[in-house]
Amino acid sequence: AVVAMAPRREAGLLLLLLLVLPLASAGLSSYFGTKSRYEEVNPHLVSDPLSLGPGAGGSLPASCAPLQLRAVVRHGTRYPTAGQIRRLGELHARLLRRAAGAAACPAAAALAEWPMWYEESLDGRLAPQGRRDMEQLARRMAARFPALFAARRRLALASSSKHRCLQSGAAFRRGLGPTLDFGGDEVEVQVNDSLMRFFDHCAKFVALVEENDAAMCQVSAFKEGPEMKKVLEKVASALCLPAEELNADLVQVAFLTCSYELAIKNVTSPWCSLFSEEDAKVLEYLNDLKQYWKRGYGYDINSRSSCNLFQDIFQHLDKAVEESKSSKPISSPLIVQVGHAETLQPLLALMGYFKDDEPLLATNYARQAQRKFRSGRIVPYAANLVFVLYHCDHANASREEYQVQLLLNEKLLPFHHSNETTSTYTDLKDYYKDILENCHFKEECELPKVNVTAVDEL
């Protein structure tokens, strides 16, 4: 009888472990970096996906009417990439082998029981939740700016060539419903990689950052540093594995599986049980280090490569101002472009947002606890940067006739030059004059002709 009870007792322990998982992982979701749910930056959406949130901003006084909205949007929630799925499969297979012949190890046993449902064919594709992200974003945007999203207003939809972005663009259009007639039954999503994947077209960035291991030296150093070593040893101990059988990449893939399960299925995965909130902070910093050095302030070319997108935004705003002054209808009142975290992060860096006084380094983790550069707060799934141009009838001076607001993830973003959430269009152009006039994509992205090392050039 005692022998018969043993498997039952073990099953009871596993059940108990699964029951306490939500408590164990309650503090992790704030630290998933670029794999964060959009709800992490807008918690009110958990209870009401169409809520505009507390103190919904985005409109000026009655005398100002919106003329044009330009949105740069990250695709919705996606599946892991094939590489991440392969690494997860490798780790899971190792736990299955360990569970088959090892002494009792509850965490390893629970994870061996976990069904490995990811397949490499999913490779970064848009998840059903990602379609909902986009449909709901479109509905909220239309509710916030009803005049711009009114019937018979033209919508220009563009996307990167990646399947998840094309599908996100189509889902955004669906979210606006059949009642809006944008001059035709179906708005075609135009592929525009030169704007949405500018980084692929910038030879200097590709050679000196993207394909240059030395450019990621801070990331590599942090992977081998004391903070990551502590997390690795803790995870190895929980899984009853020798520490040398794990590395930072495998630990990170376990952590990201916790994030994917929450974002894709809205469940707390048993993988979450391996990590405390302090571990999560360390793994978030590893993700942010990579974003900082590859897409943010680490190297000038990261942000300078986005100047063609920045200039294109202002060319359309300029055109809308000219049309308004000539009393012509605005030819492009709505421009929505779907890209990647890697599209938005360099653009925000070019504009000077979320810059810390001290660079993110492998050696200053503790000092960066209050850093501005937290990728999960800036570019979660479905992140969006929106420029709204207004015409104001009762302006005191002609320079105040055209005004602009900027929203990041549906919250008003103060302008650098004034710390206000509304700027005259003239002042905004003056502030960014150097980038608008002197940042030339072709010249910025040319590889240096002289023989210098990649690191020297950066």
Side-chain angles (χ1 to χ4, degrees), residues 28 38 48 103 105-106 139 165 188 193 230 239 245 248 266 271 302 319 358 384 414 422 454:
L28 302 187
Y38 190 67
D48 180 2
C105 188
R139 290 175 68 182
C165 295
E188 191 179 339
D193 277 343
K230 189 176 168 188
L239 296 176
E245 278 195 32
N266 197 26
W271 291 95
N302 299 347
K319 188 178 180 188
E358 194 180 348
N384 49 92
T422 302

Side-chain angles (χ1 to χ4, degrees), residues 70 121 140 400 456:
R70 172 71 172 263
S121 59
R140 291 192 304 273
E400 293 177 8
D456 284 345

Side-chain angles (χ1 to χ4, degrees), residues 23-293:
L23 296 174
S25 64
L28 302 187
S29 62
S30 298
Y31 305 105
F32 289 148
T34 52
K35 308 301 183 288
S36 296
R37 301 182 301 168
Y38 190 67
E39 288 80 1
E40 296 305 319
V41 295
N42 286 309
H44 58 273
L45 297 177
V46 174
S47 55
D48 180 2
L50 298 180
S51 165
L52 298 187
S59 58
L60 279 180
S63 60
C64 297
L67 289 182
Q68 185 181 68
L69 179 148
R70 172 71 172 263
V72 182
V73 183
R74 184 190 179 191
H75 59 76
T77 303
R78 67 165 174 82
Y79 291 110
T81 61
Q84 289 163 334
I85 292 168
R86 266 195 302 276
R87 280 193 290 277
L88 177 61
E90 177 192 330
L91 180 57
H92 190 246
R94 202 173 293 182
L95 294 175
L96 280 170
R97 289 194 298 273
R98 169 78 41 179
C105 188
L111 289 169
E113 290 285 317
W114 175 79
M116 170 61 185
W117 63 275
Y118 296 101
E119 296 174 359
E120 286 185 37
S121 59
L122 290 171
D123 190 22
R125 294 176 86 82
L126 195 70
Q129 179 57 46
R131 287 193 279 277
R132 288 191 289 275
D133 292 339
M134 288 293 123
E135 288 171 7
Q136 290 160 358
L137 175 63
R139 290 175 68 182
R140 291 192 304 273
M141 226 178 253
R144 198 183 297 272
F145 300 104
L148 282 175
F149 283 84
R152 293 180 299 283
R153 301 302 295 270
R154 181 170 176 269
L155 168 66
L157 258 180
S159 162
S160 99
S161 58
K162 291 290 181 182
H163 198 266
R164 58 186 171 271
C165 295
L166 287 162
Q167 284 199 327
S168 290
F172 185 95
R173 171 65 188 91
R174 273 197 311 278
L176 297 174
T179 53
L180 290 183
D181 173 18
F182 291 104
D185 281 343
E186 200 47 59
V187 177
E188 191 179 339
V189 182
Q190 300 286 337
V191 171
N192 191 335
D193 277 343
S194 65
L195 290 184
M196 292 296 98
R197 292 184 65 84
F198 50 78
F199 41 88
D200 284 345
H201 300 263
C202 184
K204 184 176 180 181
F205 170 78
V206 171
L208 301 189
V209 181
E210 182 79 54
E211 295 177 352
N212 174 21
D213 289 343
M216 294 298 108
C217 61
Q218 295 297 325
V219 179
S220 303
F222 190 72
K223 283 181 179 180
E224 302 298 326
E227 294 89 359
M228 273 304 298
K229 189 179 179 194
K230 189 176 168 188
V231 176
L232 193 148
E233 286 172 351
K234 186 183 156 191
V235 171
S237 172
L239 296 176
C240 308
L241 288 170
E244 56 271 18
E245 278 195 32
L246 286 180
N247 58 34
D249 291 338
L250 285 174
V251 169
Q252 195 174 31
V253 92
F255 183 62
L256 291 180
T257 303
C258 170
S259 78
Y260 281 119
E261 302 270 278
L262 180 66
I264 295 167
K265 294 174 134 187
N266 197 26
V267 298
T268 301
S269 170
W271 291 95
C272 303
S273 68
L274 297 174
F275 305 99
S276 67
E277 188 172 355
E278 193 48 54
D279 301 331
K281 288 177 182 178
V282 172
L283 288 157
E284 179 197 29
Y285 192 70
L286 176 59
N287 187 343
D288 286 351
L289 264 181
K290 182 182 174 187
Q291 290 295 317
Y292 183 88
W293 288 96

Side-chain angles (χ1 to χ4, degrees), residues 314-328:
F314 278 83
Q315 283 161 13
H316 280 93
L317 292 168
D318 280 347
K319 188 178 180 188
V321 168
E322 285 168 25
E323 288 169 341
S324 168
K325 283 181 175 175
S326 309
S327 301
K328 292 178 183 172

